């Protein structure tokens, strides 16, 4: 908008105002009273830029700033009045006007020109100035909102680390407590995943291939602690793994499956489906629900929901259904936007 305002300024100063001046007999005035024409011309251009860059911004302020803007308007009226009252010549009396009583004193043509051009400059400069200020306020508001959204996203990303660490350490604790042979292998995978979390925390988006690999590692880590009562089914198909996604945005739902969908005594299935085609990502999870009360039970899902709203407003759809026995998540994101 800044460049557009400059273009409007140039058009007004180089085209509009000169054309409006030519309506009056400026050539005759310039020949007879060059100093007056030049003074009025300089004042009109000065008035335009005074309003554009000082008066209007002051009027948009508060308190004393607004009063200063009003003072500038009054001063511009006074100076214009002073210019219009300069007596350049005394017109000859018109014999045809003899006996006519005029209600208003006679106004010379050059005085009419000064006030007419003054009103044109005032109207145009205030219109452009107000338009500029409105767009400036909008851009500032958008910048504030963007900064707020960025801060919220950073907060949600920061919440992922302790949440993931707590839940995974819980699983590792069970493996070491039972002296499971796969405990060390699980610890190695856990360290590798922590390295990924630390790396991606520095970025707002990562390649889809990296997020898919992380999901596979997470599923493999969690599968090490499972008994034969739980079956994990995964199907991942990605056409363009170079597409960018927010880190840890999908694994939250995968983590939820293993947190609530695993029982050592009852059979259960965990189904994880991920498909990307033409820039459209379809992701879903299905699992049984076994009542397990843990600290921060809803942090992950709520966190993910808020991140999606901030990152993909109007370009994603998240459906979560739960009937008390089964938990179903379906997420679609348009990654091509």
């Amino acid at each position: 908008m800044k460049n557009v305002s400059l273009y409007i300024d140039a058009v007004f100063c180089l085209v509009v105002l000169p054309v409006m001046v030519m309506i009056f007999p400026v050539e005759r005035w310039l020949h007879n009273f060059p100093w007056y024409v030049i003074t009025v011309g300089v004042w009109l251009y000065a008035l335009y830029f005074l309003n554009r860059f000082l008066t209007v911004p002051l009027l948009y302020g508060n308190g004393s700033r607004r009063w200063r803007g009003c003072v500038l308007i009054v001063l511009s009226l006074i100076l214009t009045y002073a210019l219009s009252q300069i007596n350049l010549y005394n017109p000859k009396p018109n014999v045809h006007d003899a006996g006519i009583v005029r209600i208003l004193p006679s106004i010379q043509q050059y005085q009419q020109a000064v006030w007419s051009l003054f009103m044109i400059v005032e109207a145009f400069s205030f219109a452009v100035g107000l338009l500029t200020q409105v767009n400036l306020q909008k851009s500032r508001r958008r910048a504030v909102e963007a900064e707020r959204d960025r801060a919220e996203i950073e907060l949600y990303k920061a919440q992922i680390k302790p949440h993931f660490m707590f839940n995974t350490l819980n699983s590792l604790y069970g493996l070491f407590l039972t002296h499971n042979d796969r405990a060390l292998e699980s610890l190695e995978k856990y360290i590798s995943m922590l390295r990924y979390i630390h790396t991606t925390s520095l970025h707002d988006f990562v390649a889809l291939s990296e997020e898919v690999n992380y999901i596979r590692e997470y599923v493999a880590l969690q599968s090490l602690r499972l008994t034969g009562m739980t079956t994990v089914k995964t199907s991942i198909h990605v056409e363009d793994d170079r597409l960018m996604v927010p880190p840890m945005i999908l694994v939250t739902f995968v983590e939820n499956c293993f947190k609530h969908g695993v029982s050592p005594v009852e059979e259960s299935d965990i189904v994880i489906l991920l498909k990307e085609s033409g820039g459209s990502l379809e992701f879903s999870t299905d699992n049984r629900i076994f009542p397990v009360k843990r600290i921060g039970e809803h942090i992950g899902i709520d966190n993910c929901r808020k991140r999606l709203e901030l990152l993909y407003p109007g370009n994603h759809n998240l459906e979560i259904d739960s009937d008390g026995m089964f938990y179903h998540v379906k997420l679609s994101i348009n990654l091509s936007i």
Side-chain angles (χ1 to χ4, degrees), residues 160-170 190 194 197 255:
I160 291 174
K161 295 181 182 179
H163 185 260
F164 165 80
M165 292 172 64
F166 176 81
N167 290 320
T168 308
L169 283 174
N170 230 12
Y190 177 65
L194 281 181
I197 293 176
E255 180 184 3

Side-chain angles (χ1 to χ4, degrees), residues 47 59 82 216 222 259:
L47 178 65
L59 292 174
R216 288 194 173 106
Q222 294 295 331
K259 184 166 66 172

